Amino acid sequence: MADALPPLIPGTLYLVATPIGNLEDITLRALRVLRECDVVAAEDTRRTGQLLRHFEISKPLLSYFQFNEARRSEEIIERLARGEKIALVTDAGTPGISDPGERVVRAAIAAGQRVESVPGACALVAALTASGLPTDEFHFVGFLPHKSGQRRNELTRLGQLTGTLALYESPYRIEKLLGELAEVMPDRTVVLARELTKKFEEYLRGTPAELIEATKTRTLKGEFVVMVAAV
Ligand code: SAM
């Protein structure tokens, strides 16, 4: 069967989704692209190195982390122009969703290079589909700004939209966010999707006030997707 698969296309940037916790969530195609590409462009070479080792893949790694991203995008584009097949991976999930992959993709497209998606795990999709909230209309806003005033303005604006809201939040700001939601959208149902695909995966549901009450008896740790039901 493997012989029948078409080879990778030279000069293509492959956006390879990687697991968001559970290593079984890598796809067969992701493994093949990682094995057959010329180089793996990684957000964090140490982290991606561990992933590749787990799957017994040995490949040159190129770092494009945010700090030197502009220069690394150039290098990626030069390599694509030379006909290299590049697998781009981020720390976890689908490259381009709230991570530095987005800018590399834009630079590659602007330079006329071919970009192909190798779909797989994405925290947003995993969370939303199991949240029980409507999925026919949803607004994904990634991470909110850090400054309190900007956050409040953004939440007020988002509160006027129809459809489910979905956002990413760091564990350090999750309680702050619940406090803000209690002020701006006190009557909404909030679903916190925590540690998806990992050992302590759970969904916490309630109004912002109910969830704040829950944090009095436990600390909210780990990675979160926060979803808010429409009115
Ligand atoms: N590109 C990734 C994706 O496809 O989901 C997201 C990258 S973003 C830098 C990282 C954020 O995604 C985390 O702060 C958290 O909000 C969310 N996330 C990632 N893995 C998660 C998990 N296992 N459970 C819950 N949220 C997760």
Side-chain angles (χ1 to χ4, degrees):
M1 261 315 268
D3 293 345
L5 294 170
L8 300 192
I9 301 170
T12 299
L13 181 67
Y14 289 90
L15 308 179
V16 179
T18 55
I20 57 170
N22 187 329
L23 291 175
E24 284 184 327
D25 290 336
I26 193 96
T27 69
L28 296 176
R29 185 165 165 235
L31 290 175
R32 186 166 76 91
V33 171
L34 291 169
R35 277 196 199 101
E36 294 182 8
C37 67
D38 295 303
V39 64
V40 176
E43 181 179 1
D44 177 343
T45 50
R46 206 177 51 99
R47 197 161 163 166
T48 299
Q50 284 168 354
L51 182 81
L52 295 185
R53 266 195 301 284
H54 176 86
F55 291 108
E56 298 178 350
I57 297 172
S58 167
K59 219 24 92 168
L61 288 166
L62 178 70
S63 154
Y64 69 91
F65 65 94
Q66 219 135 15
F67 180 65
N68 64 5
E69 204 178 307
R71 224 184 58 222
R72 288 294 181 174
S73 290
E74 271 172 39
E75 180 167 351
I76 289 173
I77 284 149
E78 280 165 21
R79 284 170 176 260
L80 289 170
R82 291 202 296 268
E84 288 193 15
K85 296 153 274 182
I86 303 183
L88 183 135
V89 301
T90 48
D91 285 353
T94 298
I97 299 296
S98 293
D99 62 34
E102 182 190 357
R103 279 160 64 182
V104 183
V105 169
R106 221 178 292 133
I109 290 170
Q113 302 300 339
R114 196 168 176 281
V115 178
E116 199 174 299
S117 200
V118 182
C122 176
L124 162 69
V125 177
L128 185 66
T129 47
S131 69
L133 299 179
T135 58
D136 56 344
E137 179 186 347
F138 68 90
H139 303 273
F140 173 63
V141 291
F143 291 97
L144 289 175
H146 290 183
K147 291 198 178 135
S148 297
Q150 288 175 2
R151 287 167 74 87
R152 192 96 19 140
N153 289 344
E154 182 65 353
L155 285 173
T156 305
R157 182 184 76 79
L158 295 171
Q160 286 156 12
L161 301 175
T162 54
T164 301
L165 298 176
L167 47 109
Y168 287 163
E169 189 53 284
S170 119
Y172 307 108
R173 278 183 289 275
I174 197 81
E175 291 184 20
K176 176 180 162 106
L177 177 61
L178 289 175
E180 291 161 337
L181 289 172
E183 283 181 30
V184 180
M185 310 180 207
D187 302 324
R188 307 276 189 100
T189 297
V190 175
V191 181
L192 300 182
R194 187 176 90 86
E195 294 286 88
L196 295 171
T197 77
K198 302 184 199 176
K199 189 171 172 194
F200 297 108
E201 167 166 346
E202 65 176 336
Y203 290 83
L204 299 159
R205 299 178 169 89
T207 62
E210 286 166 347
L211 293 171
I212 290 170
E213 196 55 36
T215 66
K216 291 185 179 153
T217 50
R218 55 176 291 190
T219 315
L220 293 179
K221 287 194 201 140
E223 297 196 278
F224 290 90
V225 181
V226 180
M227 290 150 295
V228 183
V231 193

